[in-house]
Amino acid sequence: MAKNLLIVESPAKARTLKKYLGPDFEVKASVGHVVDLPPTRLGVDVAGDFTPEYQVIKGKESVVKDLKKSAGKSAQVYLAPDPDREGEAIAWHIAEQLGGAPERFHRVLFHELTKSAITKAVANPTHLNHDLYDSQQARRVLDRLVGYQISPLLWDKVKRGLSAGRVQSVALRLVVEREKAITAFTPQEYWTVTAELAAAQPPLFLARLAKLDGKKFDPRSEAEAAAGVAAVEGRDFRVEKVVNRERRQSPPPPFITSTLQQEASRKLGLTPKDTMSIAQRLYEGQETDQGAVGLITYMRTDSTRLADEAIKEVRDLIGHRFGSEYLPERPHFYKSKEQAQEAHEAIRPTSAFRTPEALAPYLKKNELALYRLIYNRFLACQMAPALFDQTLADIAAGPAWFKASGQTLKFKGFTAVYTEDRDEGAKPAGQDNGNGNGEDAAQEGLLPPLTEGQALSAKQLIPKQHFTQPPPRFTEAALVKELEDKGIGRPSTYAAILSTLQDKEYVAKAEGEKVGRARRHLVPTPLGMMISDLLVESFPQIMEVDFTAGLEKALDRVEEGSQDWRTLLKDFYGPFAKALKAAQKNMRQIKGKGLPTDIKCPTCGGPMSIRLGKHGEFLACDAYPKCKTTRDFTRDEKGGLVVIEPEVETNGVCDKCGSPMQVKKGRYGPFLACTAYPHCKNIKPLEGEGNGNGLAPAEPLGEKCPKCGSDLVIKPTRAGGRFISCTGYPKCRYSRGLPVGVACPTCGGEIVEKTSRGGKVFFGCDNYPKCDFATWDRPLNEPCPQCGHPFLAEKTTRQGTTVRCPAKGCKYQK
């Protein structure tokens, strides 16, 4: 029987630990939290000093029972959930559920899951940290007080299913205010004048006109730019001053949680949620040639500190692999931000000698990509700076003064393994920054050898028009950086914040655009903008960025033991309760009324309001149900409403009342409806050309509908796919996938063409859900000539279309 019980929160972590701890330890997993606030009521005794009312989470009763049984057979209990606030809370709650003498409980902190780190941590346990637990408890109660009381208010005022959060709603405000700033932005015209010059030796280079007649040259019109060109045309160009200097670029610090999320988004196209999920797996342990081992240190950290042993190991590796010139004389040390938990390390590989190449056979594609990112950043942070030879030249031409600059890489340094990506709007040195001040160098390219007094030849003068640009929309990486810079939330919460905003449909990723590696911009939905405006109006303090950041600092003081958590809650709840009471009375009522506008109903002349439907906002007459007029609308560049008048397309006459039949769009596509509705409710399917949706006409299938006996047709989808539909629609809604003439390799059924909910064409078995075979590639009724697989598959990418064998291990393609 094991003498000791060690409890972690993750089964994967438990499996890794079992391999190192031996028979003296029984390792169990709590599978996350075992208790929480009740899901159906507030669960906080506000009058009783904000005491939380915890209860065992539904479905966790058997886990708690099993832990109690194991604890009863063990002399000592080691509590080893993650080394952060949430982990500390899990440890406290487990100890409370198990009961018994406090001295038998020991807190173990695993910052990495390697044999040496595990042995050391178990041999040196600590005590449960009450301040850290109080900090988590205060956050949990604060979030419950805000979310559980504002969300029902939104259900009553707007619609059910909405939510608000202490940090989530402030993050939403940032996205909404950025969109409003973009909408309100007025582009300003400005011009630049650039000279293309030649020296005694190539290459040609560019210089920008910076001063004219001793004054800054800042043309705001074509005429002003033309005046600049006229002033220097025909003039001799001469080099007045040349400055050659060496520029050093220092390596970036090792990753912390927020910077890992940002770079994984920029370089790998991963969402913060996916990044943290993959990092969790790398931390908890992966099977390698050395058995199960944790590959990175703990991934929820705001500290850039590195262990001395880790620095020594990576310096040895750099010197051996890259040479002494890449190894700085002394290690680099990086300053962490204020309030960082210095007990933690930065995110790094648990061994510098465990290279990505060595782990490639054991990791999935995204796991390997993220590990390589972490590994290379760790190497880079301890390598020598990159060195650039930079040349700055001042060039005179009559009354004008031009500037040129260029640089070349002299020594790669850390850039041999890693370069940091930039957010949109962060321009490299020497590029136009969009302010039109004319002082930036024209281009950071290569300059020819230049000497003071040297004559230059002007090949051409180039006046160019520009417009100032609005602030860019946030990408997920940029929003994480903004939250971090403003002190809103903590790194461990960023992934959840961004996921919630998108899950609640407050924010969406802009369609039809890509920024860098699939980084799409975040755009507030009409619902998100409405919710943000309502919350800012009713809860100005809670929605204030500085107030939220100040509250985070107060919670950090609770963690440090310098502030009482109950006092913090009392100070917060007084003003919040007053604002909540006022909002219940004064918040604008959207549900049942909508947002009033100055638009008049085209049918009855009454006012129209913006209402929320399943598919977004629309305009509806306030006289409903007497007047049922609705209109779609868009917004102009300034946010004003633009009504979309419906195009009335008639197609024949009603066979019941003789009124014209009108083409309408329904949930399942276009159909014909009588214009005398609601007096006549006749509807008919729309067939042949002119279907009103821009798609090709339906093709006869030559079969009858098994439900109603009408003809079946092959219809196109907006995604470019096809399906079989009944001409009796909308009365008969029979449809099925279009067979591709290939048998399912799993069950022998028929593979058919389908369209996913996201609008993408895929191919699956018609025996679904009994058979779940599916593929994105189009099956072709042609056996593989190499391995004999019954069919080939057609795959289309940006590089073109290829036909290949889908059989695992077969590399045939054409």
Side-chain angles (χ1 to χ4, degrees):
M1 182 179 72
K3 299 175 184 176
N4 306 297
L5 172 64
L6 186 137
I7 303 173
V8 294
E9 76 277 39
S10 158
K13 194 172 173 182
R15 286 192 294 272
T16 301
L17 290 167
K18 282 178 183 177
K19 299 195 175 185
Y20 295 110
L21 291 178
D24 286 343
F25 280 86
E26 182 183 12
V27 184
K28 291 281 186 179
S30 69
V31 197
H33 284 274
V34 293
V35 303
D36 197 4
L37 299 174
T40 56
R41 53 190 175 86
L42 184 62
V44 177
D45 186 358
V46 175
D49 248 4
F50 299 93
T51 302
E53 302 169 12
Y54 293 117
Q55 63 182 39
V56 175
I57 297 170
K58 187 176 181 180
K60 288 293 185 74
E61 296 87 355
S62 59
V63 174
V64 173
K65 184 179 179 181
D66 185 47
L67 293 177
K68 285 181 177 179
K69 182 179 177 182
S70 296
K73 299 183 291 184
S74 304
Q76 304 295 320
V77 178
Y78 292 80
L79 302 169
D82 288 344
D84 58 12
R85 279 183 286 263
E86 290 300 317
E88 199 66 29
I90 293 172
W92 272 88
H93 293 153
I94 291 173
E96 289 171 350
Q97 289 297 311
L98 299 184
E103 54 270 17
R104 79 171 180 143
F105 291 104
H106 309 280
R107 182 74 167 105
V108 179
L109 303 175
F110 294 124
H111 295 286
E112 59 181 85
L113 296 183
T114 58
K115 184 176 181 179
S116 59
I118 291 168
T119 304
K120 184 178 179 180
V122 172
N124 298 278
T126 182
H127 301 292
L128 288 166
N129 186 330
H130 211 298
D131 292 332
L132 194 57
Y133 174 48
D134 283 346
S135 174
Q136 189 278 341
Q137 204 164 215
R139 288 173 188 276
R140 184 73 185 95
V141 171
L142 266 176
D143 292 341
R144 174 55 68 101
L145 291 173
V146 173
Y148 211 85
Q149 296 187 86
I150 295 183
S151 296
L153 179 63
L154 294 177
W155 301 350
D156 179 56
K157 299 288 187 178
V158 185
K159 70 173 185 176
R160 290 194 65 82
L162 303 179
S163 74
R166 179 179 63 87
V167 179
Q168 160 202 321
S169 298
V170 180
L172 173 62
R173 181 180 185 177
L174 292 177
V175 179
V176 168
E177 290 190 345
R178 175 63 60 88
E179 191 69 18
K180 289 181 177 180
I182 293 169
T183 301
F185 182 81
T186 301
Q188 300 294 319
E189 180 185 9
Y190 70 95
W191 287 70
T192 57
V193 174
T194 306
E196 185 182 43
L197 304 172
Q201 299 180 38
L204 296 176
F205 67 100
L206 300 177
R208 180 176 292 176
L209 179 54
K211 288 184 179 180
L212 187 63
D213 294 325
K215 296 179 181 178
K216 175 182 170 183
F217 184 68
D218 187 14
R220 297 289 165 173
S221 67
E222 185 177 9
E224 291 178 13
V229 171
V232 297
E233 261 182 329
R235 301 279 188 166
D236 294 330
F237 281 74
R238 185 182 67 258
V239 179
E240 290 291 325
K241 183 180 178 182
V242 178
V243 176
N244 293 303
R245 65 188 182 190
E246 183 181 86
R247 187 175 72 83
R248 297 164 65 89
Q249 183 180 346
S250 298
F255 279 132
I256 59 176
T257 303
S258 58
T259 54
L260 176 63
Q261 291 175 0
Q262 292 167 46
E263 279 290 85
S265 175
R266 296 172 188 139
K267 288 182 177 290
L268 306 179
L270 294 175
T271 65
K273 182 179 179 180
D274 289 341
T275 298
M276 296 311 292
S277 175
I278 296 167
Q280 182 90 33
R281 296 199 296 272
L282 295 175
Y283 162 72
E284 290 179 343
Q286 298 286 315
E287 286 292 338
T288 68
D289 56 348
Q290 301 168 358
V293 61
L295 300 179
I296 64 170
T297 52
Y298 190 57
M299 63 284 157
R300 292 186 183 88
T301 176
D302 49 10
S303 169
T304 54
R305 185 183 69 82
L306 294 171
D308 292 341
E309 312 86 68
I311 292 176
K312 182 181 183 306
E313 188 179 71
V314 74
R315 282 176 61 83
D316 289 345
L317 178 69
I318 293 168
H320 177 74
R321 182 188 292 183
F322 297 95
S324 58
E325 67 272 24
Y326 284 87
L327 187 65
E329 194 174 314
R330 289 182 296 275
H332 295 305
F333 295 99
Y334 299 91
K335 185 178 179 181
S336 298
K337 293 192 174 183
E338 187 183 356
Q339 306 297 339
Q341 299 179 57
E342 288 298 324
H344 291 177
E345 276 193 73
I347 304 169
R348 62 168 176 83
T350 53
S351 171
F353 294 104
R354 200 172 284 119
T355 64
E357 292 72 25
L359 293 175
Y362 308 102
L363 299 179
K364 296 176 182 176
K365 183 179 178 181
N366 277 349
E367 292 171 344
L368 181 62
L370 190 65
Y371 181 79
R372 180 176 281 113
L373 190 70
I374 294 168
Y375 183 91
N376 288 345
R377 177 88 165 216
F378 175 54
L379 255 64
C381 82
Q382 292 301 318
M383 293 177 73
L387 302 179
F388 296 86
D389 281 333
Q390 189 175 56
T391 302
L392 305 174
D394 290 345
I395 300 162
W401 197 266
F402 286 78
K403 286 183 177 288
S405 73
Q407 69 175 18
T408 56
L409 181 64
K410 178 181 179 181
F411 172 64
K412 286 184 177 180
F414 76 92
T415 63
V417 296
Y418 190 87
T419 54
E420 192 171 26
D421 273 16
R422 295 179 176 90
D423 286 313
E424 186 182 4
K427 303 285 186 182
Q431 288 190 7
D432 177 22
N433 62 12
N435 61 12
N437 61 18
E439 294 184 354
D440 291 332
Q443 184 174 320
E444 285 289 296
L446 184 65
L447 295 185
L450 298 174
T451 57
E452 293 182 6
Q454 179 181 358
L456 302 172
S457 172
K459 297 298 182 184
Q460 61 175 325
L461 293 169
I462 310 165
K464 187 174 181 181
Q465 183 186 40
H466 308 267
F467 290 92
T468 55
Q469 298 297 311
R473 286 172 171 152
F474 289 112
T475 60
E476 288 186 312
L479 183 55
V480 166
K481 188 175 189 305
E482 186 81 357
L483 293 172
E484 182 185 30
D485 290 346
K486 293 186 178 297
I488 300 169
R490 283 296 174 257
S492 59
T493 65
Y494 296 154
I497 291 169
L498 268 67
S499 293
T500 301
L501 290 179
Q502 293 174 71
D503 291 344
K504 292 294 179 182
E505 298 182 352
Y506 294 161
V507 168
K509 289 182 179 175
E511 293 297 330
E513 64 168 30
K514 287 191 177 181
V515 186
R517 192 182 290 268
R519 285 183 264 145
R520 291 191 297 174
H521 290 127
L522 298 174
V523 182
T525 63
L527 175 62
M529 297 189 77
M530 182 187 296
I531 294 301
S532 180
D533 289 347
L534 290 174
L535 293 177
V536 170
E537 291 169 7
S538 299
F539 301 94
Q541 186 182 48
I542 291 176
M543 293 291 288
E544 179 58 48
V545 169
D546 291 340
F547 174 79
T548 305
L551 199 55
E552 289 294 342
K553 291 181 179 178
L555 289 163
D556 288 337
R557 290 194 293 272
V558 173
E559 185 174 325
E560 296 164 0
S562 60
Q563 179 158 349
D564 177 67
W565 71 281
R566 295 181 191 271
T567 302
L568 183 152
L569 291 173
K570 286 177 186 175
D571 293 343
F572 168 83
Y573 194 72
F576 170 70
K578 290 180 181 177
L580 182 66
K581 187 175 181 180
Q584 289 167 342
K585 179 181 178 182
N586 300 326
M587 182 182 279
R588 286 181 289 158
Q589 184 73 37
I590 308 301
K591 192 175 184 177
K593 290 186 177 180
L595 286 173
T597 71
D598 56 3
I599 294 172
K600 299 299 180 182
C601 174
T603 304
C604 70
M608 300 190 82
S609 297
I610 298 173
R611 307 252 181 150
L612 281 174
K614 287 183 179 180
H615 305 290
E617 293 179 313
F618 65 97
L619 288 167
C621 181
D622 288 357
Y624 179 86
K626 290 182 179 179
C627 179
K628 297 181 178 179
T629 301
T630 62
R631 288 290 186 271
D632 290 327
F633 69 91
T634 59
R635 296 180 188 271
D636 60 24
E637 63 275 6
K638 296 298 180 184
L641 301 185
V642 179
V643 179
I644 301 174
E645 292 296 340
E647 295 181 11
V648 179
E649 181 183 350
T650 58
N651 191 321
V653 295
C654 176
D655 55 9
K656 291 187 176 180
C657 72
S659 300
M661 295 293 282
Q662 179 182 354
V663 178
K664 291 207 166 189
K665 292 180 182 178
R667 184 177 178 186
Y668 298 95
F671 64 96
L672 291 173
C674 182
T675 53
Y677 179 86
H679 303 294
C680 177
K681 298 181 179 179
N682 187 24
I683 57 174
K684 295 179 69 176
L686 183 65
E687 300 178 21
E689 298 284 351
N691 54 14
N693 60 6
L695 300 177
E699 302 172 22
L701 182 65
E703 295 181 18
K704 297 293 184 182
C705 175
K707 283 192 174 181
C708 72
S710 300
D711 291 332
L712 293 178
V713 292
I714 301 172
K715 285 189 172 183
T717 68
R718 295 187 185 279
R722 297 180 299 166
F723 69 104
I724 296 172
S725 175
C726 179
T727 56
Y729 173 85
K731 292 181 180 179
C732 177
R733 294 183 174 178
Y734 173 81
S735 67
R736 70 173 191 263
L738 181 67
V740 297
V742 176
C744 174
T746 304
C747 71
E750 202 167 26
I751 297 179
V752 296
E753 190 173 308
K754 297 184 177 184
T755 304
S756 70
R757 288 183 180 178
K760 292 183 69 177
V761 175
F762 72 101
F763 303 89
C765 182
D766 65 350
N767 285 332
Y768 179 84
K770 291 181 179 179
C771 175
D772 60 1
F773 170 81
T775 176
W776 294 112
D777 304 335
R778 178 180 290 275
L780 302 176
N781 191 12
E782 180 182 343
C784 175
Q786 193 164 304
C787 73
H789 191 273
F791 64 87
L792 297 175
E794 183 180 86
K795 184 176 184 68
T796 301
T797 64
R798 290 180 183 176
Q799 286 71 42
T801 301
T802 59
V803 175
R804 62 181 186 176
C805 179
K808 193 172 183 180
C810 181
K811 297 182 180 180
Y812 173 78
Q813 80 171 38
K814 63 178 180 178

